[in-house]
Amino acid sequence: MPFSDFHGNPETVRRLREMLARNHFSHAVILSGAHGSGKYTLALMLARTMNCLEQPVTDGLPDFCGRCANCTLIGQAEDLDARVAEAVEARDGMRDADKKETRLFVQTHPDVLVIPPDPPQMMIKVDQVRHVIGSIYYRPAEARERVYIFTNSAFMKEAANSLLKVLEEPPEFATIFLLAENPGELLPTIRSRSGSFTLSALGTEEIEALLAKRRPDWNPQERSLVARLSEGAMGQALSFDLKTYVAARAQALVLLNSALRGADHSELFKITETYRSGADGREKTDNLLRTLYALLEDMLFIESGTPQLVRNTDIQGELKRMAESADFAWINRAAAGLGEVERGMRRNLLRSLSLDAFATALERTT
Ligand SMILES: [Zn+2]
């Protein structure tokens, strides 16, 4: 998987590779960009390039072979979600005393360490940074460069301060990647000691073209829908769960249409009663709420005369009919009502009742 497999942001990728070519790579590099924009994929590609045993050159710049021992081992960390899930599961299976001592890491190569945020707070903790400090001053064993990848910019205060100490005196043979959706979360003193690179959103057409190659199982209409819903992030587009989305959207449409038309509630109640308590129900409700917001936004685009911004392009006709029977005030009330449902979920109100209340409160009394 060399750099030609990285989609989008060619300028940024070239600048990073040029830094490698000049042997001038920053000790700490902030890669910022939206969820799914390729921050982790790129960091792992750079880690392989730093340590590839074959050191191939493409377009006059350093690349990686993807086949040598170092590339292979580092590449095993590619599916981050799966590796983190394994690490969490391994820790959950430990005795309580050991569990407390064990911090979360993904390590598939002795010199490359991936540091994900630690659940349940989902933040980088001080013990994780201490573990980094424990190894970073030793010369790499199998690699040329030790690489540390922090996959999230949410650091506990003490953790951020410990990291800052490393950045004040970094060893010459180590590189730290800080991946950030919002780099403003990082301490200004950490930011000032790091090189900073941003992965920007890709255009819808660019994503559609790539999906045509990578997801031939989706038809053009589906690829266009996914491209619009992934907000310019290739990772989001490739991992998009179209089936779940379409199912959630069908139910969201029933809810909105029931609220717009009023009258018979049997179809509405049949749907809302399937939203149960527990973790499964939570995820299903989250999906539904996200979809409802997106549909309301699309209605707003139609209402304000900017239909080209609509994301659910495959149901544009239906959205147009809905927008015709609603108005700005109604759409605003609906969005406020969704906020109410979200607050209710946090207070553990029955989801089915919150959703019934949402839809019936919006019924138009003409
Ligand atoms: Zn290699």
Side-chain angles (χ1 to χ4, degrees):
M1 286 270 288
F3 280 105
S4 57
D5 287 339
F6 189 83
H7 305 301
N9 291 281
E11 236 347 77
T12 307
V13 175
R14 193 180 51 77
R15 272 165 54 219
L16 284 157
R17 292 171 68 194
E18 278 172 358
M19 258 179 20
L20 277 180
R22 290 197 311 269
N23 228 334
H24 240 300
F25 209 83
S26 306
H27 289 299
V29 164
I30 298 170
L31 290 179
S32 48
H35 175 69
S37 57
K39 305 182 293 292
Y40 182 69
T41 303
L42 183 57
L44 223 48
M45 284 183 169
L46 290 162
R48 272 171 286 186
T49 308
M50 287 168 183
N51 294 307
C52 180
L53 300 172
E54 306 210 346
Q55 301 184 262
V57 170
T58 55
D59 304 322
L61 291 169
D63 210 327
F64 60 99
C65 75
R67 292 179 305 264
C68 70
N70 280 344
C71 280
T72 305
L73 285 180
I74 297 170
Q76 284 168 3
E78 214 161 31
D79 189 346
L80 180 62
D81 289 343
R83 296 291 89 79
V84 170
E86 284 165 12
V88 170
E89 203 184 309
R91 183 170 66 181
D92 285 349
M94 289 176 173
R95 293 178 312 166
D96 279 347
D98 296 333
K99 212 184 281 184
K100 259 196 217 111
E101 304 282 300
T102 307
R103 289 287 163 252
L104 216 57
F105 297 103
V106 171
Q107 185 158 34
T108 57
H109 183 287
D111 300 311
V112 178
L113 186 69
V114 178
I115 307 103
D118 204 335
Q121 302 92 329
M122 294 314 280
M123 294 185 86
I124 307 282
K125 294 180 176 161
V126 67
D127 287 343
Q128 290 175 294
V129 180
R130 283 195 185 124
H131 185 82
V132 169
I133 296 173
S135 67
I136 197 167
Y137 294 101
Y138 292 96
R139 288 200 167 273
E142 317 278 334
R144 290 186 293 278
E145 185 84 6
R146 277 190 182 281
V147 179
Y148 297 86
I149 305 174
F150 289 91
T151 65
N152 194 296
S153 54
F155 281 73
M156 306 277 268
K157 196 161 176 261
E158 222 184 317
N161 287 326
S162 301
L163 176 67
L164 182 60
K165 287 201 192 92
V166 181
L167 297 186
E168 280 164 354
E169 278 179 274
E172 56 176 295
F173 41 77
T175 301
I176 297 173
F177 286 103
L178 298 161
L179 312 187
E181 279 176 46
N182 172 17
E185 270 183 334
L186 295 164
L187 287 180
T189 39
I190 288 182
R191 274 181 282 148
S192 68
R193 284 178 170 80
S194 313
S196 199
F197 296 84
T198 304
L199 296 178
S200 8
L202 308 192
T204 308
E205 280 164 20
E206 203 174 348
I207 295 192
E208 273 186 66
L210 288 164
L211 284 178
K213 278 186 227 147
R214 301 280 292 271
R215 292 304 302 255
D217 51 318
W218 288 343
N219 66 40
Q221 217 184 16
E222 289 171 330
R223 292 198 289 261
S224 154
L225 173 67
V226 171
R228 279 175 175 74
L229 290 168
S230 352
E231 290 163 20
M234 196 57 206
Q236 280 190 46
L238 285 173
S239 61
F240 197 89
D241 185 348
L242 187 61
K243 216 171 119 211
T244 302
Y245 178 79
V246 170
R249 190 178 66 180
Q251 305 207 322
L253 285 169
V254 172
L255 245 73
L256 290 179
N257 277 314
S258 166
L260 280 168
R261 288 199 223 102
D264 182 16
H265 292 151
S266 57
E267 210 187 347
L268 169 71
F269 294 157
K270 222 185 283 166
I271 284 179
T272 55
E273 71 173 11
T274 66
Y275 286 79
R276 304 292 168 94
S277 50
D280 276 3
R282 159 132 226 152
E283 202 185 319
K284 194 173 160 188
T285 314
D286 281 342
N287 280 334
L288 179 75
L289 291 179
R290 246 201 316 273
T291 313
L292 281 165
Y293 274 120
L295 290 172
L296 289 174
E297 212 178 348
D298 280 353
M299 287 169 70
L300 214 50
F301 289 141
I302 294 174
E303 202 78 54
S304 27
T306 50
Q308 70 277 15
L309 297 177
V310 167
R311 282 169 297 182
N312 290 279
T313 39
D314 57 324
I315 54 163
Q316 199 136 11
E318 182 166 9
L319 286 170
K320 195 156 167 271
R321 277 195 299 281
M322 287 162 67
E324 272 159 14
S325 47
D327 53 25
F328 282 117
W330 188 90
I331 296 172
N332 282 337
R333 271 200 298 141
L338 286 183
E340 225 19 77
V341 176
E342 281 184 302
R343 280 189 287 282
M345 276 174 68
R346 284 199 286 276
R347 293 200 311 273
N348 284 319
L349 288 188
L350 267 180
R351 280 159 201 161
S352 53
L353 294 184
S354 301
L355 292 169
D356 289 345
F358 163 76
T360 48
L362 280 170
E363 280 175 17
R364 296 173 64 89
T365 43
T366 39

